[in-house]
Amino acid sequence: MTNAHSLSADAALPATESGTPADAKRAAVSGFVGTLIEYYDFSLYGYMAVVIAPLFFPSGDPTVSLLAALAVFGTAYVVRPLGGIVFGHIGDKYGRKTALLGTLVCMGIGSTLMGLLPTYEQMGYFATALLVLVRLLQGFSAGGEVGGSATFISESSPPHLKATFGAFTPLGSTGGFAVAAAVAGAVTAFTTPEQMSSWGWRIPFLLAFPLTLLCIWARTRVKETYQDKKEKTEHSPISAIFRFQGRALAQSTAISAATNGTAYIGLTYMSIHLVKQLGYPAGSVYWVATLAIGLSALLMPLGGYIGDRIGLRRLMMVGLIGYIILTYPMMGLMERSLSVAAWAYVVLMLNTVATQVSAYTLLPQLFEPQYRYTGVATGWNLGVIVAGGTAPYVAVKLVQMTENKQSPAYFVVAAALVGLVAILSVRQNQMRATS
């Protein structure tokens, strides 16, 4: 422990003395399924932005409509820290499972409501206001999900397999984006443009309801990893994070900003880029995104295996340096043809395997157990605000301002450089046992 405020070993302990492989497998599967559903729900808006934009933000200029829709996409990220604080407090005081079940319920409600919203033509600005409110609810939910999932899995895993099992959180989050792209592609393929604008865009959101019920069932079947005992800390978890672990919070925020700033260009912006900037058919682009994002998701366990052998710091540096070197030339290659664009997209997304596995596994080890959920969620969400939710908007704006279709690469390089500084500042003696 690093400060006098830290609880004694008897005051707050993991629910189990050490994570067994069986516990870790159950926790990993639960975290994967839950995060998959959460990020399927959350990312659908990004894939539907091109369709949603004129329905809720009608304008004579399609780019203005799209920028307005992407600005609403970004508002969901503004409220994420609040979700992280609320669900983090619940997770640190009443158990990780309780908090993670709460995030699922909120996201399921938000996504179902999204599929039922009236459009601007039906209710004017009131419809736009409802859209913003639903996105805020989704952001609130997502704010408590990945930090909790990463914490829960880490506390369930044996020390030598932290990255192997920790990889299931990015497997779920990235897989959620891939599933969302696949569903968007399927609905687009089986509807006409008129049908898509009229009712087809609602179908992917309404699928959230049965998927949420499935995930709630899965999460009720895992063992709790941590519960605060009757002895209470002097400060709330969020207060303690700022008072006693400022260094860890700054590091986790910077690592999150780098991880999300680089990843979200591929996860959310690239589909927009291929459709709007390069003119490829939307239906085909959805399947290209499914290929690139899905492949990177499937490789997360391999990334975890490598991370447990070469170390998390080295693995993250490989991914960040890859982004710095490859982003600009790969975006240039995308202009040649859709098939070339697909493989260039895949190459870029391979870097996110290294960065996400490292980040999700490393962050829980930076914080003390009695406020670990809150610390991971807060650091992660602050980084997401800085460079994740803003990524698609900034990317579109950069292209508009510079008239250079490859200019979003500058944003990626800047985010990666921040990550390199942050990961180099992490020392081995900061790492805490989480099982």
Side-chain angles (χ1 to χ4, degrees):
M1 301 295 180
T2 60
N3 58 74
H5 168 71
S6 300
L7 292 180
S8 68
D10 293 331
L13 293 171
T16 55
E17 291 183 2
S18 62
T20 67
D23 291 337
K25 288 177 183 177
R26 284 191 291 269
V29 171
S30 170
F32 159 70
V33 173
T35 309
L36 178 80
I37 302 307
E38 286 257 1
Y39 275 77
Y40 164 81
D41 293 345
F42 190 71
S43 64
L44 272 174
Y45 184 96
Y47 293 112
M48 294 287 104
V50 174
V51 179
I52 288 174
L55 298 177
F56 290 89
F57 305 96
S59 170
D61 185 346
T63 300
V64 172
S65 295
L66 179 59
L67 284 171
L70 292 177
V72 173
F73 180 83
T75 62
Y77 289 85
V78 176
V79 78
R80 282 182 65 147
L82 178 60
I85 292 170
V86 172
F87 288 113
H89 186 91
I90 294 170
D92 285 329
K93 292 296 182 182
Y94 305 106
R96 317 306 197 201
K97 279 178 61 176
T98 301
L100 288 170
L101 285 169
T103 67
L104 276 176
V105 171
C106 285
M107 183 62 80
I109 292 173
S111 295
T112 303
L113 290 175
M114 183 73 74
L116 299 173
L117 285 177
T119 63
Y120 183 89
E121 184 180 3
Q122 295 168 320
M123 297 193 70
Y125 288 111
F126 184 66
T128 304
L130 288 176
L131 175 69
V132 174
L133 288 175
V134 171
R135 280 302 290 172
L136 290 175
L137 177 60
Q138 289 185 314
F140 180 80
S141 170
E145 170 60 30
V146 291
S149 176
T151 298
F152 188 72
I153 293 174
S154 183
E155 291 177 342
S156 301
S157 304
H160 64 291
L161 295 174
K162 293 294 185 188
T164 297
F165 288 111
F168 279 77
T169 297
L171 172 62
S173 61
T174 307
F177 279 91
V179 173
V183 172
V187 173
T188 302
F190 288 103
T191 58
T192 66
E194 293 75 21
Q195 290 172 330
M196 192 67 178
S197 296
S198 176
W199 51 265
W201 66 272
R202 299 180 183 276
I203 294 174
F205 292 107
L206 294 175
L207 287 174
F209 182 72
L211 293 174
T212 300
L213 294 179
L214 173 65
C215 187
I216 289 173
W217 172 81
R219 282 202 166 161
T220 58
R221 299 172 64 84
V222 296
K223 184 190 298 185
E224 179 60 76
T225 59
Y226 175 88
Q227 282 185 322
D228 197 13
K229 293 193 174 184
K230 291 183 179 180
E231 297 88 343
K232 299 297 182 183
T233 59
E234 181 182 349
H235 304 280
S236 67
I238 186 62
S239 173
I241 290 297
F242 280 97
R243 288 171 64 92
F244 304 110
Q245 289 207 269
R247 177 184 173 88
L249 180 61
Q251 290 170 326
S252 61
T253 299
I255 291 170
S256 170
T259 303
N260 288 289
T262 53
Y264 269 66
I265 290 295
L267 294 173
T268 59
Y269 170 72
M270 203 56 70
S271 294
I272 296 170
H273 180 76
L274 295 176
V275 174
K276 285 295 185 182
Q277 308 299 348
L278 303 185
Y280 297 124
S284 299
V285 167
Y286 287 138
W287 292 114
V288 167
T290 302
L291 168 68
I293 299 172
L295 184 59
S296 67
L298 292 174
L299 289 174
M300 292 294 177
L302 176 61
Y305 176 86
I306 295 171
D308 279 325
R309 280 148 185 82
I310 70 171
L312 298 174
R313 293 170 77 249
R314 289 180 182 174
L315 182 64
M316 173 156 274
M317 285 190 284
V318 168
L320 294 173
I321 292 170
Y323 273 119
I324 292 170
I325 295 173
L326 295 171
T327 303
Y328 196 91
M330 289 301 108
M331 291 191 72
L333 288 175
M334 289 178 179
E335 298 185 30
R336 297 191 175 183
S337 69
L338 185 57
S339 59
V340 173
W343 289 111
Y345 195 169
V346 168
V347 170
L348 282 181
M349 289 304 297
L350 292 179
N351 293 300
T352 200
V353 176
T355 55
Q356 288 199 63
V357 168
S358 301
Y360 282 117
T361 308
L362 176 65
L363 264 58
Q365 299 179 53
L366 297 178
F367 295 96
E368 298 183 24
Q370 63 269 29
Y371 33 75
R372 179 174 290 139
Y373 194 134
T374 301
V376 175
T378 302
W380 187 262
N381 289 319
L382 289 175
V384 168
I385 287 179
V386 171
T390 59
Y393 182 90
V394 171
V396 172
K397 200 69 177 175
L398 280 172
V399 174
Q400 185 186 51
M401 292 171 58
T402 65
E403 297 184 352
N404 178 1
K405 295 176 182 178
Q406 295 164 248
S407 59
Y410 302 141
F411 176 86
V412 174
V413 170
L417 289 172
V418 169
L420 281 176
V421 172
I423 198 66
L424 288 171
S425 74
V426 175
R427 298 289 178 258
Q428 191 63 35
N429 59 8
Q430 283 184 259
M431 310 292 281
R432 303 172 192 280
T434 57
S435 60

